[in-house]
Amino acid sequence: MHIEPTETQALVAKTARDYAERTLKPLAATLDREERFPLAQLRELADLGMMGVNVPAELGGAEAGAVAYSLAMTEIARGCASTAVTMAVTNMVAEVITRFGTEAQRERHVPKITSGDYVAGAFALSEPEAGSDPGSMRTTAEKVPGGYVLRGQKQWITSGAHAGVVVVWARTGGPGTKGLSAFLVEGGTPGMKAGKHEDKLGLRASNTVPITFDDCAVTEDALLGGEGGGFKIAMMALDGGRIGIASQALGIATAALDEAADYARNRKQFGKPIGDFQGVKWPLADSRTELDAARLLALRAAWLKQEGRPFSREAAMAKLFSSEAANRIVSRCLQIHGGYGYVRDFAIERHYRDVRVTTIYEGTSEIQRTVIARAELRG
Ligand code: CAA
């Protein structure tokens, strides 16, 4: 058993870490305050191979594998969690098209994602009335000569206003999960319209919008996979996506812990650094321990995925534990900052807001527990 990264994995992680340190970290507070979508930074990340870390080189990807992707995601999230989620969903879209697309679909979209020509990809599964239960979605795709017409509304779509391609799930058949299909809809397609940007607690520099489909016509070749196969595509994509969100949560928690340790070294009360007090030492120790445990779970899930082995349960465990642990860690780290943690002068205030959503999106903690428990009960 090797717990050391390979040369490639270490290089990808270092590339991401250097970029995050140099460019994202100094910019993150401004992006957050101005709710500014990081257009230029996303293009630079594409140039560094970060928009297709686990995508074959022939499609412009870095072909570095799922473990390298997890490491890179953690490093980018240390710098800016908003940029990281945009990168996470874009990688998920690049991977889903690579895996389930026809050769023509792959060649049409994936190189544009990996090169930054499309600034982002979007994943339009959730709806106002269908969040944890996507099988109940109402968006329809009516079959017409030469293609389909999409009608309905999607909700909480990351990068929905900027995406070059949106993977859209819609009902082509009867009720339930078997009636769903997936479509690749290009940004700017008439009838597909992004709504008002959500006024979020955190990740304020990421773009989150509802999207309406008002008689949105797409050609037959927009269908991804077969008719009725959409739900399984969504679930398989989310299995990988959950490793990404686990890794993002780890990145936010790592930044928080580094900052709390630094604060504890320098802040003096009662004539000595507060890090000398047990009340500060123990939360630091608990946080580092939980962080490493979470990191191992995420890396195991990524490794299983990379090996082509089943990883759905392990990805759910990684997402559940990492996101919950990251929330605990960031909260403790804010406490160490005292009153200074409650104001915007310190980055911990932003981490506290940013980390909150990690137990919610790409499947809530309750949904992860459902996935894990079902696997357990199947035996
Ligand atoms: N891989 C392959 N197939 C899978 C699968 C997986 N991981 N999970 C389920 N399936 C298959 C099942 O085997 C089943 O197949 P058969 O019909 O052939 O038996 C079929 O899919 C239906 O499965 P279930 O009966 O288990 O479906 P369900 O309706 O009970 O739902 C669920 C299961 C796990 C709760 C699922 O609905 C789920 O994951 N919900 C959460 C949705 C979610 O994560 N949304 C996130 C939105 S995207 C987002 O947040 C992105 C962003 O912008 C940041």
Side-chain angles (χ1 to χ4, degrees), residues 123-134 137-139 152-157 167-169 209-211 213 238 360-363:
F123 191 88
L125 181 70
S126 301
E127 298 187 358
E129 305 291 334
S132 289
D133 179 17
M137 74 172 60
R138 294 186 192 160
T139 297
Q153 183 166 10
K154 295 292 172 179
Q155 184 78 7
W156 320 124
I157 308 308
V167 190
V168 182
W169 278 265
V209 289
I211 301 185
F213 293 88
L238 282 168
I360 298 172
Y361 62 17
E362 298 213 10

Side-chain angles (χ1 to χ4, degrees), residues 63-109:
E63 202 172 312
V67 170
Y69 171 66
S70 168
L71 295 170
M73 177 50 51
T74 297
E75 296 299 343
I76 295 300
R78 276 173 85 168
C80 174
S82 291
T83 305
V85 71
T86 314
M87 172 178 148
V89 176
T90 303
N91 271 271
M92 179 164 64
V93 168
E95 286 194 36
V96 81
I97 301 174
T98 301
R99 175 151 179 210
F100 298 102
T102 60
E103 204 175 325
Q105 288 171 328
R106 255 182 254 150
E107 278 168 12
R108 183 177 181 87
H109 297 294

